[in-house]
Amino acid sequence: MKSRKIARTYLFQVFRHKIYLPFLHLKGFLNDSARNISTQKIFELSDLNIDPSSGTRYETISYKSLRNILKVPFEMSFNQFLDIGCGLGRSIIVAHEIGFKELHGLDISDQLIKMCKDNLIKSKIEAKLTCQDILDYDLPAGDLVIYIFNPFGKERIEFLLNKVKNRSYNTFIIYHNPKHSDSFDSKNLIQQKINKHFGLYDEKTFLYLYE
């Protein structure tokens, strides 16, 4: 029985890494190609001359997942969007396609900001991009949607939350792959989205509202 379980796990992992993940990568690449942009990439922080201890590598999630997630605050009448750790700009582009009017992107890497700008120019999208550490960044005024995909560690997450709590505006936070969700107030959690990917792995997104 134990050997069957091991074999099943092994086969699942082979399928995940050899077939399923390359399939998802291809879908992302095809969606990029349709828009004449390039966002389907992974960058380790060391590749960007950034201390690996300051955050996690750049990667993105699927266009479909982004649309499903971003529709939630948009349907609640939010129209201002900020991606912290915007990378190559996929989430900003999807936010624009959904209908968000004011778009912002923040990243600590000037290399990624430049590539993001190039993608936005190709997409004819206007957004305010800032190359800065979150510790020095002032959140835009007004009701705001913030998207984060683990751009940094627990210390900066808590710093961001203190900024949010001191705002006099409504703030909707989308936290994808929420490694530090224990730093958030559970009373502000309004929804959890979990994509189980056919049992291969769970992709989680937590949605918070601070009023």
Side-chain angles (χ1 to χ4, degrees):
M1 190 72 169
K2 184 177 180 180
S3 61
R4 287 183 182 178
K5 185 176 181 180
I6 294 174
R8 183 174 181 272
T9 301
Y10 173 76
L11 291 174
F12 265 48
Q13 292 307 314
V14 169
F15 176 77
R16 173 183 174 180
H17 292 286
K18 298 294 185 180
I19 299 176
Y20 189 64
L21 292 180
F23 170 72
L24 294 181
H25 181 89
L26 176 61
K27 285 185 66 177
F29 176 78
L30 292 175
N31 273 282
D32 277 359
S33 296
R35 295 167 173 81
N36 191 33
I37 60 174
S38 178
T39 65
Q40 188 62 38
K41 295 182 179 180
I42 295 176
F43 289 97
E44 300 292 344
L45 294 187
S46 57
D47 298 333
L48 303 167
N49 297 316
I50 298 173
D51 183 355
S53 65
S54 65
T56 58
R57 70 181 186 178
Y58 165 77
E59 55 187 318
T60 189
I61 66 174
S62 71
Y63 280 91
K64 181 179 180 180
S65 293
L66 278 170
R67 282 192 292 269
N68 289 338
I69 293 167
L70 295 182
K71 281 180 180 178
V72 177
F74 183 74
E75 291 174 354
M76 295 171 63
S77 298
F78 283 88
N79 66 9
Q80 185 175 202
F81 176 81
L82 165 65
D83 182 1
I84 297 179
C86 61
L88 303 184
R90 178 180 293 185
S91 62
I92 296 175
I93 291 168
V94 174
H96 170 79
E97 291 174 352
I98 287 175
F100 284 90
K101 300 302 182 185
E102 297 181 50
L103 304 168
H104 306 265
L106 175 69
D107 206 289
I108 199 171
S109 167
D110 56 355
Q111 181 180 342
L112 292 183
I113 285 289
K114 182 180 182 302
M115 296 171 75
C116 179
K117 184 178 180 180
D118 289 343
N119 282 325
L120 295 181
I121 289 173
K122 291 177 181 177
S123 302
K124 298 181 180 180
I125 295 173
E126 293 186 7
K128 183 176 181 180
L129 302 181
T130 305
C131 183
Q132 199 171 44
D133 193 313
I134 185 61
L135 299 178
D136 304 312
Y137 180 72
D138 293 326
L139 296 174
D143 292 350
L144 178 67
V145 176
I146 298 175
Y147 173 78
I148 51 177
F149 183 174
N150 278 316
F152 33 66
K154 188 179 182 69
E155 179 182 353
R156 280 175 169 76
I157 286 287
E158 293 180 348
F159 181 86
L160 171 62
L161 284 175
N162 284 332
K163 279 180 174 278
V164 167
K165 292 174 184 177
N166 289 324
R167 300 181 83 236
S168 55
Y169 306 98
N170 296 326
T171 309
F172 193 106
I173 301 178
I174 300 170
Y175 189 8
H176 185 70
N177 191 17
K179 290 183 178 179
H180 305 294
S181 58
D182 58 319
S183 296
F184 287 73
D185 297 319
S186 58
K187 62 182 176 61
N188 296 102
L189 179 66
I190 63 169
Q191 194 172 344
Q192 297 182 33
K193 288 185 175 289
I194 302 176
N195 186 346
K196 293 188 173 295
H197 290 276
F198 306 103
L200 297 172
Y201 64 96
D202 288 349
E203 183 182 29
K204 298 180 181 179
T205 307
F206 290 177
L207 310 181
Y208 298 90
L209 180 61
Y210 288 82
E211 300 178 295

